[in-house]
Amino acid sequence: MNVNVNPAFWCGKKVFLTGHTGFKGSWLSLWLQSMGAQVKGFALDAPTVPALFTEAKVGDGMESQIGDIRDLVTITASMKGFNPDILIHMAAQPLVRLSYREPVETYAINVMGTVHVLEAARQCTNLRAIVNVTTDKCYENREWEWGYRENEPMGGHDPYSNSKGCSELVTAAYRNSFFNSVDAPALATARAGNVIGGGDWAEDRLIPDILRAFECKQSVVIRNPHATRPWQHVLEPLSGYLLLAEKLYTEGAAFAQGWNFGPRDDDVQPVEWILNHMVARWGQGACWQLDTSPQPHEAQLLKLDISKARAKLKWHPRWSLTKALDSIVDWHQAWLGGANMHDKTLEQIQRHQNH
C-alpha cells in the first residue's frame, strides 16, 4: 500500500523550516505552501545564482528570514517568536568537496548549527514534531554491496559525511536528554540519498554540472564515472519527511528514531549510466569525457536499506531513476524557455503525488 502525503493534516499547521532557500528547502517550501501550511523559513541567502528559491518565487508564499544557524540568539528568537507546531531542520553545508576546503565551517554549520536549532526548539511551547535531515553518508562506509540499515554505526570519511554523523549523535543525545518526556516534541532524523531535481545549480554536483555543460554545448567532464550512489528525485525524500513529521505529530515517541529514504535497488546506478541517459535525452550533440586529474577520496558504493520506512510509514519511491532524469530535463528546458517556474514546480509536485 502506498500512502500519500495528507494535505488536510498540513493545512493550517505552523511549520518552521531551516534551509528554506536551498534546493531541497525550496521544493519543500512550495509543497507545504500548496497544502495550506503556514511556513516560516530561516536560512542564509539562496546559495547560487540562479536559484530555485528566486526562479520559482518561493518566498512569496511564506515568511522568510535570512539568518545563520551558527547564531544561537537569532535562531532562538526567530523560532520562539513563531512558535511552530512542526520543525524541519534542513540548513547545512551539503557538499563533500567543499568540506575538504572548509572543514571548520562545515562542522560549525552541521554540528553546532544542529545544537543551536535543537536548543531553540526547547523554547517552543507548541512544538510537537522535529525532523532533522542528515544524509545517507552519515554511516561508516564499508563499501558494502547491501544497503545500510538505521542501526548501523555512524562514521563518515570526509568532513561533510563525518559532520552529519556527528549531527545524528547530537540528535540522539538531545532526544535522550531533553525530548524524552511524554509532553516533549518527538524528534527523528531522516537520511536521504543523492537528491536530484530541477532547479539545482550547486557547484560540484553531477546533475547541475551536466546541465551547465549541455547549455554551453560543451563536453561534460566527469571525475568518477564508476561511483555508484542512491540517486533519487528530490520529491521522494521530501514525501518521506512529510509522512514522518505527521507520524511524529500524531503518534509521538514510537517514530522518534532514524529513518532512511532511498531509491529502489535497481535505481542505484553508476555515474556513467546517468550520463548516458542524460546525453540521449538532451540530444543536440551532448557528450562527456573523463577528468584524469588527481581527486580527493569519495566513496565508490553507498546504498540505503529502506525497508523500515516501507513497513512503518508505508512510504516507497514513486518515480524510477529514468522518470526522475526525464523530469529534470523537462524542468530545465522549461526554465530555459522562460516558463513560470513556480507553476512548473508545483505541477511536478502534483504529478509525483498522483503517480
Side-chain angles (χ1 to χ4, degrees):
M1 180 178 139
N2 188 17
V3 172
N4 268 333
V5 172
N6 178 11
F9 168 80
W10 289 98
C11 186
K13 290 288 188 303
K14 296 181 75 173
V15 183
F16 193 92
L17 176 61
T18 70
H20 70 291
T21 59
F23 164 61
K24 284 174 77 178
S26 293
W27 276 94
L28 185 56
S29 295
L30 282 182
W31 195 342
L32 287 165
Q33 291 170 33
S34 75
M35 295 187 291
Q38 184 181 341
V39 188
K40 179 173 182 178
F42 185 96
L44 299 175
D45 282 316
T48 59
V49 178
L52 179 58
F53 185 74
T54 49
E55 297 301 310
K57 297 182 168 51
V58 175
D60 289 0
M62 64 187 294
E63 185 180 348
S64 174
Q65 180 174 349
I66 301 304
D68 193 326
I69 58 170
R70 289 170 289 187
D71 179 348
L72 176 59
V73 172
T74 303
I75 180 67
T76 302
S78 177
M79 198 187 302
K80 187 177 178 182
F82 184 64
N83 204 4
D85 304 307
I86 294 168
L87 163 63
I88 303 176
H89 173 42
M90 294 174 65
Q93 192 298 92
L95 301 172
V96 171
R97 282 161 66 91
L98 180 59
S99 78
Y100 280 109
R101 298 198 301 271
E102 299 287 352
V104 174
E105 179 180 339
T106 300
Y107 281 101
I109 295 169
N110 293 350
V111 184
M112 287 309 299
T114 299
V115 172
H116 293 164
V117 169
L118 294 178
E119 272 296 300
R122 295 176 65 196
Q123 306 297 316
C124 298
T125 54
N126 289 346
L127 191 58
R128 295 266 299 275
I130 308 171
V131 178
N132 176 22
V133 177
T134 63
T135 176
D136 59 345
K137 296 168 190 64
C138 66
Y139 294 107
E140 184 180 324
N141 191 350
R142 300 172 185 176
E143 303 281 351
W144 281 334
E145 293 293 329
W146 56 87
Y148 291 89
R149 291 166 300 189
E150 286 86 349
N151 59 356
E152 308 279 3
M154 297 293 102
H157 181 284
D158 58 87
Y160 164 71
S161 305
N162 186 270
S163 71
K164 286 297 203 170
C166 293
S167 177
E168 286 276 354
L169 296 174
V170 164
T171 306
Y174 265 75
R175 181 166 50 231
N176 293 332
S177 303
F178 306 116
F179 298 115
N180 57 358
S181 63
V182 175
D183 57 347
L187 169 59
T189 56
R191 305 154 188 175
N194 279 47
V195 172
I196 57 177
D200 186 4
W201 281 279
E203 281 186 41
D204 230 4
R205 267 202 197 130
L206 179 63
I207 298 297
D209 286 349
I210 291 172
L211 293 172
R212 273 189 285 266
F214 287 177
E215 276 184 60
C216 301
K217 302 195 178 339
Q218 296 172 348
S219 179
V220 187
V221 179
I222 292 299
R223 61 181 181 260
N224 202 350
H226 303 301
T228 299
R229 298 283 187 273
W231 313 101
Q232 58 188 157
H233 193 276
V234 62
L235 292 173
E236 305 289 7
L238 294 185
S239 66
Y241 307 162
L242 292 171
L243 289 171
L244 174 58
E246 180 179 347
K247 286 289 191 183
L248 291 167
Y249 188 94
T250 57
E251 300 188 38
F255 291 85
Q257 46 194 267
W259 298 85
N260 287 341
F261 298 103
R264 301 179 186 90
D265 280 352
D266 55 1
D267 284 332
V268 179
Q269 294 286 353
V271 168
E272 186 173 19
W273 189 96
I274 291 201
L275 279 161
N276 291 334
H277 184 87
M278 293 283 283
V279 161
R281 181 72 170 72
W282 189 272
Q284 305 172 42
C287 59
W288 68 276
Q289 67 186 66
L290 185 64
D291 180 354
T292 56
S293 62
Q295 303 295 332
H297 173 274
E298 288 188 76
Q300 289 296 308
L301 179 63
L302 187 65
K303 289 169 66 175
L304 291 173
D305 183 320
I306 57 173
S307 51
K308 186 168 93 169
R310 283 179 182 273
K312 295 190 174 180
L313 295 174
K314 303 293 185 278
W315 172 91
H316 68 77
R318 290 164 182 259
W319 282 357
S320 67
L321 182 54
T322 300
K323 173 87 172 167
L325 294 172
D326 290 349
S327 77
I328 292 167
V329 172
D330 175 46
W331 194 100
H332 200 78
Q333 290 182 337
W335 174 73
L336 288 172
N340 180 323
M341 298 318 294
H342 179 275
D343 293 350
K344 183 68 179 177
T345 306
L346 288 175
E347 174 205 308
Q348 291 200 344
I349 291 169
Q350 197 56 54
R351 193 152 20 109
H352 179 268
Q353 280 302 282
N354 293 340
H355 186 75

